[in-house]
Amino acid sequence: MKLPHESAVFSRRVGLRAVAASSLIGLAACTSKATTGSSAAGSTPADVSAAATSPVAKSDALLSTALAPVVPTQPMLSPSQVSGVPIPAGRIDASIKQLDALAAKLMARSGVPGMAVAVVHGGKTVYAKGFGVKEIGQSGQVDANTVFQLASLSKPIGATVVARQVSKKRITWETKVVEHLPWFALADPYVTANLTIGDCYAHRSGLSGQSGDLIEDLGYDRKQVLTRLRYLPLDPFRITYNYTNWGITAGAEAAAVASGIEWEALSERDLYAPLGMTSTSSRFADYKARKNRAVGHAYVDGRFQAKYVREPDTQAPAGGVSSSVDDLGKWLALLLADGKAPAAGTDADGQFITPQALGAALTPQIVSSPPATPDARTGFYGFGFNVGVQPSGRVQFSHSGAFILGAGTNVVLLPSADIAIVTLTNAAPMGLAESLNAEFMDLVQFGSSQRDWYAGYHALLAALLVPVGALVGKVPPAAPVPAKASTRYIGRYTHDCYGPVEVVASGAALALLLGPQPVSYPMTHWSGDEFIVHFNFESTGIGSVSAVTFKLGASGPATSVLIEVLDKDKVGNFTRAGA
């Protein structure tokens, strides 16, 4: 990507050359005077020969060299654009030829059922291929047109949709969310009044990590979740990076309202259709209807199983896109071309998104990974994109996506090498997508893999698969304290953020009724006034165990109940209705 300051840097270089030349002229003049005085006394052929190596001759030669036309061996680059590791001719082609073997090796190592990979270079997709099966136990093979759920890879795609609105001057990245969502609020009135679409896409709203996900898990719709965010605590505004699906979704909703169309239709109209991404959608129903569709696989009891379905429509801007690597190659080509897409046929010179609008998304907006040691590189987040620096010195844009219920995706772009790679898998995140892309970029830049990427990424992402709950894996007490009479627990409890919960009799036991369309969750007695409930939410992981603890006085019904899994932001306490 061409940097905004490139021409200024070039001008400064010309100025420095002029200063150097003038200095040499001054040096030559001073030296020339002394030598001329010496020559006046007379000279001989030997003197002339010696003069050829005199200070005057040397300075004249140096001056001549300095003023000679400069013939660059590479395009004029600013210092910040120069990489310390050049990529020799043929390296990219050689790296692409290794992808088949690399994919086979990593699939065997991870056990992931299916995967698709595409590479974009020189304005086109130069590699696109599928591996494995769309569903375990079925014969359908993955190909370049197989549609996968993208999970959080939806974020940079959505940011591209927003950048298109900025290009069309419908909004700016500084547009305030409440200008278009006047009903939206967060816990701090100042933040509510000043939160911008850019703040949302940079994860700097102050909402804590994954805020809103549990509200979604209970079954609330998009506006209901966004409305309930006001009850969640905030970290410091604009100086705290917390990765949140619902911050992004708030920004996207504001952009959609400003454009006069719902987000799903806006994405289709302003990105997917113009680029010819015919297999891409932000609606779960479209993904479900595809014949060539990869099924998600959760990791349950030590193996991959097509047991759950992740329906992400509620947070579609942050996690609801589905697509194929063939389609995503067109999007990557747009990014590598600095927003140009001549085939879209919309703006002058094929400029589909202005460099300014797209460049803002690809510019560091906040520190996302502070260095742990003085020798570590810092990680940044733009608007919907991770922004970092490779060991080679090259700027990298990237993003991953993960559904615990069955998706692992990753994309990496190296603009200086004009190359990008995307990998999609149909399994819970195991590090396969990230490690394949990292190893490929090693091949491109260094000619060989620089480390065991799979070991590192697998250990990092395996933590996402650990179920939530202090009682996970714990053995129930051998002699539990008996529970009180069930009538003391039964009743309706309320919560501003999560809505009502009802404790009801379920046979000889009790159950929780949670959500706007109440879902029954059986309760098992643990000890005393503590029970447990099992959840398989996307945000908590398969097999999560939540303690459910009632607060009772000496007599009468319980006055409140604390649901552990909903207490992430210390807001999991429900009070009895009418108490």
Side-chain angles (χ1 to χ4, degrees):
M1 178 180 293
K2 183 179 180 181
L3 294 183
H5 61 277
E6 182 177 330
S7 59
V9 170
F10 180 81
S11 298
R12 287 197 295 272
R13 284 190 168 195
V14 172
L16 288 172
R17 285 187 58 214
V19 170
S22 63
S23 297
L24 286 170
I25 290 172
L27 173 64
C30 294
T31 311
S32 178
K33 288 179 182 177
T35 309
T36 302
S38 163
S39 298
S43 63
T44 64
D47 295 327
V48 173
S49 176
T53 57
S54 71
V56 173
K58 289 182 179 180
S59 65
D60 286 345
L62 182 60
L63 176 62
S64 176
T65 300
L67 297 179
V70 175
V71 182
T73 58
Q74 60 178 341
M76 184 68 73
L77 300 175
S78 73
S80 62
Q81 290 174 296
V82 176
S83 167
V85 181
I87 298 174
R91 171 74 66 69
I92 289 177
D93 289 341
S95 301
I96 292 171
K97 289 178 182 178
Q98 297 185 59
L99 271 174
D100 284 8
L102 177 59
K105 175 189 73 174
L106 290 173
M107 282 194 71
R109 190 172 178 183
S110 67
V112 166
M115 176 176 72
V117 184
V119 175
V120 174
H121 181 58
K124 61 184 179 182
T125 299
V126 294
Y127 178 96
K129 194 168 183 178
F131 304 87
V133 297
K134 292 182 279 189
E135 181 177 0
I136 285 179
Q138 304 297 319
S139 59
Q141 299 291 304
V142 174
D143 59 38
N145 294 304
T146 299
V147 173
F148 291 74
Q149 289 185 288
L150 302 188
S152 285
L153 197 49
S154 304
K155 292 179 175 67
I157 293 173
T160 312
V161 174
V162 175
R164 173 67 173 157
Q165 309 319 300
V166 175
S167 292
K168 301 300 287 184
K169 302 188 186 308
R170 294 170 180 147
I171 55 170
T172 70
W173 287 109
E174 290 72 41
T175 295
K176 292 182 171 59
V177 172
V178 291
E179 288 182 28
H180 301 289
L181 305 180
W183 47 266
F184 179 80
L186 293 176
D188 185 330
Y190 177 84
V191 177
T192 298
N194 290 279
L195 182 72
T196 67
I197 291 173
D199 291 328
C200 292
Y201 268 88
H203 298 300
R204 62 189 185 203
S205 66
L207 287 166
S208 65
Q210 308 301 327
S211 282
D213 288 358
L214 286 164
I215 310 174
E216 176 193 358
D217 283 334
L218 294 179
Y220 289 98
D221 65 28
R222 187 178 301 168
K223 186 171 182 180
Q224 288 173 324
V225 177
L226 291 172
T227 300
R228 291 166 184 270
L229 294 179
R230 68 189 65 193
Y231 300 114
L232 299 178
L234 296 175
D235 287 324
F237 182 42
R238 288 185 178 154
I239 61 171
T240 308
Y241 171 87
N242 287 327
Y243 186 89
T244 58
N245 292 311
W246 285 95
I248 289 260
T249 301
E253 276 295 287
V257 171
S259 301
I261 187 172
E262 68 171 6
W263 175 260
E264 293 78 3
L266 177 65
S267 301
E268 168 67 24
R269 185 192 73 185
D270 281 16
L271 186 65
Y272 309 153
L275 295 188
M277 299 169 67
T278 57
S279 295
T280 305
S281 175
S282 293
R283 296 183 179 90
F284 179 77
D286 291 339
Y287 159 75
K288 195 72 174 176
R290 308 283 187 198
K291 292 184 177 179
N292 189 1
R293 169 175 58 90
V295 174
H297 296 76
Y299 194 69
V300 185
D301 298 329
R303 61 191 181 92
F304 290 109
Q305 300 181 46
K307 190 174 182 178
Y308 303 96
V309 177
R310 172 71 166 117
E311 184 177 338
D313 275 353
T314 312
Q315 56 159 267
V321 179
S322 58
S323 188
S324 66
V325 295
D326 185 69
D327 269 13
L328 292 176
K330 301 167 186 176
W331 168 63
L332 293 174
L334 170 75
L335 299 180
L336 288 174
D338 207 7
K340 286 192 174 184
T346 52
D347 296 342
D349 301 322
Q351 197 71 55
F352 185 67
I353 300 176
T354 65
Q356 294 77 16
L358 184 59
L362 300 173
T363 299
Q365 301 293 337
I366 191 167
V367 172
S368 57
S369 301
T373 59
D375 60 344
R377 286 178 291 276
T378 302
F380 302 93
Y381 204 86
F383 294 142
F385 290 83
N386 289 305
V387 183
V389 179
Q390 282 268 313
S392 64
R394 298 179 185 274
V395 174
Q396 169 184 289
F397 306 130
S398 65
H399 214 286
S400 287
F403 284 158
I404 304 302
L405 303 185
T409 62
N410 181 255
V411 64
V412 179
L413 301 92
L414 283 187
S416 63
D418 186 31
I419 194 163
I421 182 170
V422 58
T423 297
L424 310 178
T425 76
N426 62 348
M430 305 298 286
L432 169 57
E434 290 82 3
S435 54
L436 186 144
N437 290 356
E439 191 158 345
F440 174 74
M441 286 305 186
D442 272 359
L443 293 173
V444 166
Q445 296 173 94
F446 309 112
S448 63
S449 181
Q450 300 299 291
R451 59 174 293 180
D452 186 346
W453 288 106
Y454 183 78
Y457 277 117
H458 180 68
L460 182 68
L461 295 176
L464 298 177
L465 305 182
V466 177
V468 170
L471 297 177
V472 170
K474 298 291 180 64
V475 177
V481 176
K484 309 292 193 303
S486 62
T487 54
R488 299 187 67 182
Y489 305 117
I490 290 173
R492 183 179 176 85
Y493 302 78
T494 62
H495 194 286
D496 288 337
C497 183
Y498 296 118
V501 60
E502 193 166 1
V503 179
V504 300
S506 178
L510 298 174
L512 287 178
L513 297 181
L514 279 168
Q517 303 297 323
V519 176
S520 179
Y521 298 93
M523 297 168 58
T524 302
H525 182 248
W526 187 263
S527 184
D529 298 323
E530 187 172 41
F531 297 75
I532 62 170
V533 172
H534 294 272
F535 293 106
N536 290 319
F537 292 154
E538 169 64 33
S539 62
T540 63
I542 308 301
S544 293
V545 178
S546 177
V548 177
T549 308
F550 293 87
K551 183 177 181 180
L552 291 87
S555 63
T559 57
S560 65
V561 58
L562 179 67
I563 303 177
E564 179 197 11
V565 77
L566 300 181
D567 199 36
K568 173 186 166 294
D569 289 306
K570 304 303 179 186
V571 291
N573 198 58
F574 292 68
T575 57
R576 182 176 286 275

